[in-house]
Amino acid sequence: SDERVRQLEAELAERKRKSIKLKEGGMQGPLAAAVEQIALANMANDQSSSSAPTPEELDIVEKLQRRIKLLKEFLPPNMSEEDLDMTLEDAERRVQESLQVIMNGGDHDPAKLMAAETAFEKWDSVVRNHPEYKKREAEKWVVWENDNRPKNEAALEEMRGLVKKEYFSLSPTQLEAKGMSKKLIQRLQTKKVFKLLYMTTDEIEKLHQVDLSVNCSTQGLDI
């Protein structure tokens, strides 16, 4: 009937909304596909239980169930479909609640402490992948960069005055001939982070995370 068609369309639109919400939150690939297939299967099961299913509907349900079985290994064991509808405020509240239990040592109850640690990991992940959280954090960085741009530009010029670009193309012997001490030469060659002073934002964004966190580490710097 027309009413059933409208109901199907409305439920399908809701499932698609949840799928889009997943992708906006950073969930891609097999994981997003798995959750989407589960949502569609739930819709099909709901429909089949409310009225006699047609052979075509049964075939769809069976196909979706087979896909779910194959894709479930990509789903985190503690994730449910209901988690996708949670607001950022609710997720952050649960993070704080579980953190409070952890800080209290689980009231000397090891099982309670372990459950709180598991809950904290889950809700912290939900928060960090929530679209509203990502938007809020991005807006914070924009404000910070605008507020601190004059100071940052002055600091950049000061550092470029201390570490000249030409130093990176000179050998240790040439640097020593310019009056640079061996200790300073060693620091310049081992601390790759100085090269970032002369790289563009686009060039830095193309660096691998390992290069930024390890090879370009600021640990041990005092200038």
Side-chain angles (χ1 to χ4, degrees):
S1 65
D2 292 342
E3 179 62 29
R4 186 182 182 190
V5 170
R6 285 193 294 270
Q7 183 181 4
L8 282 168
E9 290 176 343
E11 293 188 4
L12 182 58
E14 174 66 13
R15 303 300 179 179
K16 288 183 177 180
R17 182 189 67 78
K18 289 184 178 181
S19 176
I20 292 172
K21 184 177 179 181
L22 265 176
K23 294 173 183 177
E24 287 178 345
M27 193 178 293
Q28 301 289 343
L31 180 55
V35 177
E36 185 173 2
Q37 294 298 332
I38 290 174
L40 290 172
N42 288 339
M43 183 190 71
N45 282 324
D46 290 343
Q47 290 301 313
S48 63
S49 61
S50 61
S51 60
T54 66
E56 291 78 11
E57 288 174 336
L58 287 174
D59 185 56
I60 292 174
V61 171
E62 290 177 0
K63 287 181 179 178
L64 289 173
Q65 288 175 339
R66 286 197 297 268
R67 292 179 184 178
I68 291 171
K69 186 176 180 180
L70 292 173
L71 293 169
K72 268 202 169 183
E73 61 181 280
F74 295 101
L75 280 173
N78 57 359
M79 173 172 278
S80 66
E81 189 178 342
E82 287 72 21
D83 295 337
L84 306 179
D85 286 326
M86 178 165 291
T87 65
L88 178 59
E89 291 75 14
D90 285 340
E92 289 180 326
R93 175 177 54 79
R94 298 197 184 193
V95 167
Q96 292 302 318
E97 289 174 350
S98 56
L99 182 59
Q100 189 61 50
V101 175
I102 293 173
M103 293 177 66
N104 293 336
D107 297 328
H108 307 290
D109 184 342
K112 186 176 181 180
L113 179 61
M114 183 177 295
E117 291 173 345
T118 301
F120 175 82
E121 291 178 1
K122 172 182 177 177
W123 298 120
D124 183 64
S125 177
V126 170
V127 167
R128 293 182 181 280
N129 285 285
H130 200 286
E132 292 180 16
Y133 174 83
K134 291 186 175 183
K135 180 182 178 181
R136 187 179 70 190
E137 292 302 301
E139 291 173 347
K140 282 184 180 179
W141 275 111
V142 170
V143 172
W144 185 90
E145 289 178 354
N146 290 335
D147 291 345
N148 292 275
R149 182 171 286 108
K151 294 180 181 179
N152 292 337
E153 290 177 349
L156 177 61
E157 290 305 313
E158 182 179 359
M159 288 302 302
R160 285 176 172 175
L162 295 171
V163 183
K164 305 290 186 181
K165 188 175 183 179
E166 63 187 65
Y167 292 168
F168 301 109
S169 60
L170 299 177
S171 66
T173 302
Q174 291 172 316
L175 290 172
E176 192 171 0
K178 283 183 170 289
M180 192 177 292
S181 67
K182 291 184 178 179
K183 186 176 181 180
L184 187 55
I185 293 172
Q186 182 181 16
R187 168 171 285 200
L188 183 65
Q189 292 186 324
T190 56
K191 297 296 181 181
K192 306 296 184 183
V193 66
F194 290 131
K195 292 185 177 181
L196 300 183
L197 294 171
Y198 297 97
M199 295 176 65
T200 65
T201 302
D202 289 339
E203 290 172 332
I204 295 174
E205 288 178 347
K206 292 177 181 178
L207 293 176
H208 193 277
Q209 184 178 355
V210 174
D211 288 325
L212 288 173
S213 61
V214 179
N215 297 334
C216 294
S217 172
T218 58
Q219 185 176 0
L221 295 182
D222 53 12
I223 57 174

